[in-house]
Amino acid sequence: MAVEGFSTTAFCYGQTGSGKTHTLTGPPGLFEKNPDPYSEDHGLVFRSFMYLFELLKQRSEFHFILKASFLEIYNEKVIDLLNPGTARKPLAVRWSKKSRGFFVENLFTVDCEELDDLLAVLEEGMRNRSVGRHNMNDYSSRSHTILTVHITSEQQMGEDGVFISKQGKINFVDLAGSEMTKKTHSEGKTLEEANNINKSLMVLGYCIASLSDSRKKGGHIPYRDSKLTKLLADSLAGNGVTLMIACISPARSNVSETINTLRYAARAKKIRTKPIVVMDPREALILSLKREVNALQSENDHLRSAINFAQDKPPGTASSDPGANSFMQGRLVLKTPPTVDLEKLAEMEGQELSELVRHYMTENEALRKENAELFTTRELVLRDQELVCRENERLLKKLEDVNSVCCRSPIIPARPTYSAEMLNMSGNGDLDATNVWVNPLNASLTNTLGGSTNSTLPGPRFKQDILEGRKSAKPPHRLPESIQKELDKRSIGNSMMNIAESYREKSHRRHNSWDNGKGMHGSTGSADSTSSARRNKLKELADNPNQDGNSRVPQRTSSTPIGSVTTESPLPEVSLQRRPASISRTTGLTDEEQTHIRGLVAA
Ligand SMILES: Nc1ncnc2c1ncn2[C@@H]1O[C@H](COP(=O)(O)OP(=O)(O)OP(=O)(O)O)[C@@H](O)[C@H]1O
């Protein structure tokens, strides 16, 4: 992973004499014997170096730069093991704003081109580290050591000449073992070393405990309490990968330390880091910009293909919609970013690349906005359509209800030409009980002739059908308008003639009665004879249709609303919708009608 650019750490933890140094570097004095490179005595560090160089050989497309440093923390002082000097002057640990981590100032770093260079660093450091002796270990490490191998890899991205470099590293940390001074019988200098070792290990334990506790996430981690934790902060909770090797003793007498070590290991196992590849900020920016450009270009291609698909739709679909056209027009005026030659991309400056990305982002934003608008419009159209459908269903249901009410009523024929006043008709079946005035002649004729009214009376006949409960009763079909008008003229003309004749007859009888000296109210017999004569006359009129085959009795046609008769000139219009103020008791006609009829008779 260090080769890929990650920061990695392997550290050994455990009580003194448990084999930490043995695990990392092998038995004491191994390198003084000039061992075989493939000896089984080698520890993790040597084996890692071997594996690292094998890996570098396989990756010929990369250019690697290796650098190594070796330091120890002895009594809370950082000593450079590759350049200790005669005075073993301690180095300062500082905070780097750039890398946002602690670093050792002026630490000697050795370029390592060969495996031997790395082995030389390891040997030199092992030789210079502080080793002591106590009851539990003849070669006890009196300090924490950190061997770091920095791996810089450079790779050419594509054929445009841009090199991308990554900086990975491996930390090999050999911690000094925790000591129970009672057991080790440490005194003097060794006791001071043991106290410092225990103190720094305790801080490390606090840091591990805090990092592993999910409740303290984001809380304070006491890295600054020791040099060891400062330098391991990045490995413990940074963006690297860390391997903890817990070394324990198989001796029964060390059981409490073993349990303690395992407890630490269990806590450390809970720590979660977020490994990232460490790169040069400028190169990282170029790489991210290139990725972003590729992503935006692919997204733009996708959106363009989707828009072209919408444009290629046949007429009558989306393009035939004027609203859609306006949308299309609005979309077509989008500012398209300039086409970029990918080969020249590497030559472009960071500012140009940023400008280009900004162009694509603007276009992308516009396309996203347009896409959202299209979706919104589609939703609105669907909602409107649903509303119209619901309204349609409601109106249809209402129409059905109205039809069913009309059909259920025994006196209302279900004909759409009836005025709304008919709907207010009471349910007792008496047409005369409504507020619609009916021509008394029609009514008297119906009463006189009963159900024997001839077939030229469509209204009463239809009414009769309803009364007889015929299911097939339907309103008569409408005639063509010209024929219907002609029929209306004739029927109205006939009715007027009929009225004129009855008026003439009534006048004649009235004269006779006056002649008989009985006056208007003189005799009931006269009234009876008058009504009898009128009945006979009407019957005669009904039984003898005129030459056109039409009855001379006023008829209601299908196109004429009930209660209203409309004529064209020269016949005067007579409205029967409202009962006139003054009606003659004998003729049943208004003054105005009588005047008209008198004029007609005179003519
Ligand atoms: N796996 C092993 N096989 C053989 N010998 C071992 C093994 N582990 C440790 N030893 C031996 O035990 C002794 C102590 O080991 P080592 O020095 O590595 O312990 P340590 O944990 O580093 O102690 P300290 O913390 O005091 O430095 C050494 O002589 C080492 O060779």
Side-chain angles (χ1 to χ4, degrees):
M1 290 189 78
V3 175
E4 302 290 342
F6 290 96
S7 174
T8 60
T9 302
F11 73 94
C12 293
Y13 182 90
Q15 73 172 114
T16 184
S18 59
K20 298 181 291 294
T21 308
H22 189 93
T23 303
L24 284 176
T25 56
L30 176 65
F31 295 99
E32 294 167 6
K33 299 171 190 169
N34 213 358
D36 178 17
Y38 299 99
S39 168
E40 288 185 354
D41 289 341
H42 286 298
L44 179 67
V45 177
F46 186 87
R47 292 167 192 249
S48 298
F49 289 167
M50 295 279 284
Y51 178 72
L52 175 62
F53 270 88
E54 280 180 20
L55 205 65
L56 300 188
K57 278 181 190 172
Q58 291 172 11
R59 303 196 174 191
S60 56
E61 72 273 16
F62 288 88
H63 176 64
F64 290 101
I65 300 168
L66 299 183
K67 290 181 179 179
S69 63
F70 209 160
L71 64 87
E72 72 171 354
I73 303 168
Y74 176 76
N75 285 344
E76 280 300 291
K77 292 173 187 168
V78 177
I79 310 294
D80 190 344
L81 292 177
L82 299 181
N83 185 26
T86 49
R88 288 175 61 89
K89 192 183 174 187
L91 303 176
V93 177
R94 301 198 187 281
W95 171 260
S96 168
K97 283 185 181 177
K98 189 181 172 187
S99 62
R100 298 193 63 78
F102 292 99
F103 71 100
V104 179
E105 197 175 43
N106 297 324
L107 185 65
F108 193 68
T109 305
V110 179
D111 286 340
C112 302
E113 293 181 357
E114 301 292 334
L115 177 63
D116 289 342
D117 298 335
L118 276 179
L119 294 177
V121 168
L122 179 61
E123 283 180 33
E124 182 68 14
M126 293 297 290
R127 195 182 307 122
N128 291 329
R129 73 175 298 186
S130 303
V131 179
R133 182 176 183 170
H134 56 69
N135 279 359
M136 295 183 73
N137 190 355
D138 288 342
Y139 299 94
S140 177
S141 308
R142 309 314 292 163
S143 63
H144 311 293
T145 60
I146 301 176
L147 168 61
T148 305
V149 180
H150 300 271
I151 305 168
T152 304
S153 65
E154 290 181 348
Q155 185 192 13
Q156 193 172 6
M157 297 293 287
E159 297 176 353
D160 47 11
V162 174
F163 278 91
I164 300 298
S165 62
K166 300 170 185 172
Q167 280 102 34
K169 68 177 179 181
I170 316 172
N171 291 318
F172 295 101
V173 183
D174 181 13
L175 298 176
S178 57
E179 294 178 21
M180 294 183 76
T181 49
K182 282 184 185 175
K183 283 187 182 179
T184 57
H185 295 107
S186 301
E187 290 177 351
K189 184 185 170 189
T190 314
L191 181 62
E192 186 192 354
E193 290 168 353
N195 287 335
N196 281 313
I197 290 167
N198 287 339
K199 186 188 168 193
S200 59
L201 289 176
M202 188 179 67
V203 176
L204 177 65
Y206 284 149
C207 291
I208 290 174
S210 299
L211 289 167
S212 61
D213 192 349
S214 56
R215 289 172 299 181
K216 293 181 181 175
K217 208 171 183 180
H220 173 67
I221 311 294
Y223 294 121
R224 291 174 181 268
D225 289 1
S226 77
K227 298 270 173 57
L228 176 67
T229 47
K230 277 183 182 178
L231 295 177
L232 288 183
D234 187 45
S235 302
L236 290 172
N239 300 312
V241 181
T242 301
L243 169 70
M244 176 181 177
I245 302 167
C247 297
I248 53 172
S249 165
R252 183 190 288 266
S253 57
N254 295 326
V255 65
S256 61
E257 287 92 339
T258 300
I259 291 171
N260 200 32
T261 302
L262 292 176
R263 192 176 290 135
Y264 269 89
R267 284 178 185 166
K269 205 176 170 184
K270 293 179 184 173
I271 298 172
R272 293 283 176 269
T273 58
K274 293 176 182 174
I276 59 163
V277 176
V278 181
M279 294 176 69
D280 179 71
R282 187 174 171 274
E283 291 170 359
L285 175 67
I286 291 173
L287 193 65
S288 71
L289 287 174
K290 284 184 78 173
R291 282 180 185 158
E292 200 166 358
V293 165
N294 286 336
L296 289 171
Q297 278 177 341
S298 63
E299 191 175 347
N300 284 343
D301 290 342
H302 172 72
L303 290 171
R304 279 204 187 93
S305 63
I307 290 163
N308 289 336
F309 175 73
Q311 274 182 325
D312 293 342
K313 275 190 176 179
T317 55
S319 58
S320 63
D321 184 10
N325 278 336
S326 65
F327 261 113
M328 299 295 277
Q329 284 160 11
R331 181 188 53 74
L332 286 172
V333 297
L334 281 175
K335 193 179 176 184
T336 307
T339 312
V340 181
D341 188 1
L342 284 176
E343 291 180 358
K344 293 181 181 176
L345 197 65
E347 299 167 9
M348 294 174 75
E349 293 295 322
Q351 195 175 355
E352 282 181 287
L353 281 170
S354 301
E355 192 66 27
L356 186 66
V357 170
R358 207 174 298 121
H359 267 299
Y360 276 107
M361 286 175 74
T362 308
E363 191 200 33
N364 218 19
E365 191 62 33
L367 288 170
R368 277 205 194 98
K369 200 174 172 186
E370 184 189 328
N371 209 19
E373 282 176 2
L374 284 170
F375 269 108
T376 311
T377 310
R378 181 171 164 271
E379 291 295 321
L380 285 174
V381 168
L382 284 174
R383 207 183 309 156
D384 286 352
Q385 190 184 2
E386 195 180 334
L387 285 174
V388 168
C389 284
R390 277 187 199 166
E391 182 66 15
N392 202 17
E393 282 176 12
R394 193 184 66 80
L395 289 171
L396 279 173
K397 193 168 182 306
K398 195 172 178 183
L399 190 63
E400 281 175 12
D401 291 345
V402 169
N403 279 339
S404 65
V405 166
C406 292
C407 290
R408 272 202 309 275
S409 172
I411 56 167
I412 306 172
R415 48 192 297 171
T417 52
Y418 284 2
S419 67
E421 288 176 329
M422 291 296 289
L423 298 174
N424 299 327
M425 188 183 292
S426 60
N428 57 7
D430 187 2
L431 193 63
D432 295 335
T434 68
N435 55 358
V436 180
W437 185 76
V438 182
N439 192 332
L441 285 177
N442 252 349
S444 63
L445 179 66
T446 308
N447 290 335
T448 306
L449 302 177
S452 63
T453 317
N454 64 22
S455 61
T456 58
L457 299 170
R461 184 186 173 188
F462 181 66
K463 180 182 169 184
Q464 187 66 25
D465 288 342
I466 295 289
L467 289 169
E468 288 171 10
R470 294 176 194 165
K471 288 184 180 176
S472 61
K474 290 180 182 177
H477 293 290
R478 287 179 68 92
L479 292 168
E481 197 176 359
S482 56
I483 299 172
Q484 194 64 53
K485 279 183 180 175
E486 185 61 30
L487 287 173
D488 288 347
K489 279 181 195 176
R490 289 180 184 179
S491 63
I492 292 167
N494 288 337
S495 69
M496 297 308 292
M497 291 299 292
N498 190 21
I499 291 167
E501 275 191 39
S502 62
Y503 175 74
R504 198 182 306 157
E505 185 184 352
K506 277 187 277 183
S507 301
H508 177 70
R509 287 178 186 274
R510 200 182 305 138
H511 284 300
N512 287 343
S513 64
W514 283 107
D515 290 343
N516 292 336
K518 289 181 180 176
M520 187 176 174
H521 307 291
S523 170
T524 54
S526 173
D528 289 342
S529 64
T530 305
S531 78
S532 173
R534 191 192 304 159
R535 202 162 47 236
N536 291 335
K537 182 64 182 174
L538 287 171
K539 192 175 181 184
E540 183 189 342
L541 288 169
D543 291 342
N544 297 310
N546 59 10
Q547 290 177 350
D548 298 331
N550 290 328
S551 170
R552 296 169 70 185
V553 179
Q555 300 173 30
R556 189 191 305 146
T557 60
S558 60
S559 62
T560 310
I562 189 167
S564 70
V565 179
T566 308
T567 63
E568 293 177 1
S569 66
L571 294 172
E573 181 178 332
V574 181
S575 173
L576 305 180
Q577 284 183 339
R578 285 191 178 81
R579 179 181 282 271
S582 60
I583 301 174
S584 169
R585 289 185 179 179
T586 52
T587 61
L589 296 174
T590 64
D591 295 337
E592 192 181 354
E593 287 170 346
Q594 288 180 26
T595 309
H596 277 296
I597 290 166
R598 280 196 198 100
L600 287 170
V601 170

